[in-house]
Amino acid sequence: MRNSKYSIILASAATLALAGCDKEATFNINPGEGQLNCRTLTVDYINNNPNVRSSESSVVELGNFIVDFVNTATNDTARSFKYSDMPEIVSLPQGSYRAAASFGDNPIAEWEAPYYLGNSDFEIKVGEITDNVDPVECVLSNIRVRVKINDLNLGLLGDDAQVVVHAGKDGELTYDLSTINTAGYFRFVENSHTLTAEFSGTVDGKYINATPLIFDNVEAGKAYDINFTVNRPDNMEPGEIVVGGEPGNEITVNATIAIMDQTKEIDPNEPEDNILVDDMRPANGDDDPGKDPNDDDPNDDNPGTEMKGPKVCL
């Protein structure tokens, strides 16, 4: 399926955990405490990535989520469990809490390392059992970037072709021809909302180091698919192509970017090109990188078409 939302109920997992958590399974409430009925607590996550394969390390198993019960007044974690090992009943001191579910370590930059977060608030009252916690819905909370490099089977790209991507303060990954289907994940850093992608390598026998492309307004939970494509004039045969040439008669490296929101479920009845668009420009700060004035508003959150970046002429 193009998108799916996974959920499991803790009843079955709790049954298996009871043998090792007999003290939690009792309904005896200690003075000053109440209890949470975990049989009614569910954790879900949204996955809008149609390219995930079962063999990939980024496949997310709900049982591996960590659930922390955090006292909202002190921000201290009172209890913490692996979701699959959650006991049936958890005793907690009276107070306001949030069930914070997470998956992953939120790395600065790493391959196939999604980071999911979700929260749900609840109250613990002395001598009572709480069994009405809202489901914890987790969403992608770091930045996913995929990069494709291709020359449309023209044979113009050298094996050294690569794109270096920077995101956040220190995030850096190098994409090459072997990582076309590999997702890189970057930590989202507050006040650092810029993503850059710099192409370099041999094209038609000439090594180039292109001007970096800069994308602003990067957000956690968004997936950015960047495509670098080598093009040639339609009226030229392969043997006639030369690096450089008159305008309109040269090899170009074009960049496009498509952005998809991973924090919302996608209606399977909507078009496949349901993506978000925004500004992408070269590092020299040109205000208009060749955008068609008839294109959709780049700040529009409604689905649109992929945004074309500036081209590099060889």
Side-chain angles (χ1 to χ4, degrees):
M1 293 180 63
R2 183 167 178 266
N3 71 309
S4 56
K5 182 179 182 180
Y6 301 91
S7 66
I8 59 176
I9 299 179
L10 281 169
S12 58
T15 300
L16 295 176
L18 287 178
C21 302
D22 288 339
K23 65 178 181 179
E24 296 290 344
T26 67
F27 289 84
N28 296 323
I29 301 178
N30 297 324
E33 291 187 345
Q35 294 184 326
L36 174 67
N37 181 0
C38 293
R39 292 175 299 180
T40 63
L41 175 64
T42 61
V43 175
D44 307 329
Y45 80 95
I46 295 174
N47 173 31
N48 289 329
N49 181 6
N51 298 313
V52 168
R53 302 183 300 272
S54 60
S55 60
E56 290 185 356
S57 60
S58 64
V59 172
V60 176
E61 297 290 345
L62 264 176
N64 292 328
F65 275 63
I66 300 299
V67 181
D68 296 326
F69 297 125
V70 182
N71 186 303
T72 57
T74 63
N75 208 35
D76 293 331
T77 299
R79 305 294 301 272
S80 183
F81 301 93
K82 186 177 179 181
Y83 187 42
S84 61
D85 296 335
M86 187 82 72
E88 182 179 3
I89 296 293
V90 172
S91 296
L92 295 166
Q94 176 177 273
S96 298
Y97 291 85
R98 68 173 178 270
S102 64
F103 177 92
D105 298 323
N106 197 18
I108 294 175
E110 191 172 318
W111 302 108
E112 302 295 356
Y115 176 58
Y116 287 89
L117 284 178
N119 298 282
S120 184
D121 295 332
F122 63 95
E123 295 285 335
I124 292 293
K125 297 181 180 180
V126 172
E128 297 184 11
I129 297 177
T130 299
D131 58 4
N132 58 348
V133 183
D134 291 335
V136 183
E137 186 172 86
C138 299
V139 297
L140 185 70
S141 297
N142 54 358
I143 303 162
R144 194 192 86 196
V145 179
R146 292 181 184 269
V147 175
K148 292 186 179 181
I149 312 170
N150 69 84
D151 63 0
L152 306 178
N153 295 317
L154 298 177
L156 301 176
L157 276 174
D159 293 336
D160 59 348
Q162 65 177 32
V163 173
V164 178
V165 174
H166 291 90
K169 182 180 178 181
D170 301 309
E172 176 182 324
L173 288 174
T174 299
Y175 297 75
D176 56 28
L177 300 179
S178 68
T179 59
I180 289 177
N181 293 315
T182 305
Y185 288 83
F186 297 83
R187 180 182 298 174
F188 175 74
V189 179
E190 292 290 346
N191 302 318
S192 181
H193 301 167
T194 299
L195 182 151
T196 65
E198 182 176 1
F199 174 88
S200 64
T202 303
V203 179
D204 199 28
K206 179 182 178 181
Y207 183 83
I208 66 168
N209 196 329
T211 301
L213 300 175
I214 298 178
F215 179 76
D216 294 322
N217 305 317
V218 172
E219 299 178 45
K222 294 289 179 69
Y224 300 85
D225 290 344
I226 305 173
N227 187 19
F228 285 85
T229 306
V230 177
N231 298 285
R232 70 181 184 197
D234 293 335
N235 61 347
M236 297 188 72
E237 297 296 330
E240 298 177 315
I241 295 178
V242 294
V243 175
E246 297 298 323
N249 193 34
E250 72 276 317
I251 299 171
T252 59
V253 179
N254 295 84
T256 60
I257 186 166
I259 309 117
M260 182 174 291
D261 190 346
Q262 300 293 288
T263 65
K264 300 178 182 178
E265 288 189 274
I266 296 176
D267 185 343
N269 296 318
E270 291 184 357
E272 289 292 325
D273 62 349
N274 181 4
I275 57 177
L276 305 176
V277 298
D278 212 321
D279 173 52
M280 193 171 191
R281 62 179 184 272
N284 60 18
D286 290 344
D287 290 333
D288 184 0
K291 180 182 180 297
D292 188 329
N294 294 320
D295 284 348
D296 294 338
D297 181 353
N299 294 316
D300 188 357
D301 285 337
N302 293 324
T305 57
E306 63 183 8
M307 180 68 186
K308 292 185 178 180
K311 65 181 179 180
V312 178
C313 300
L314 306 182

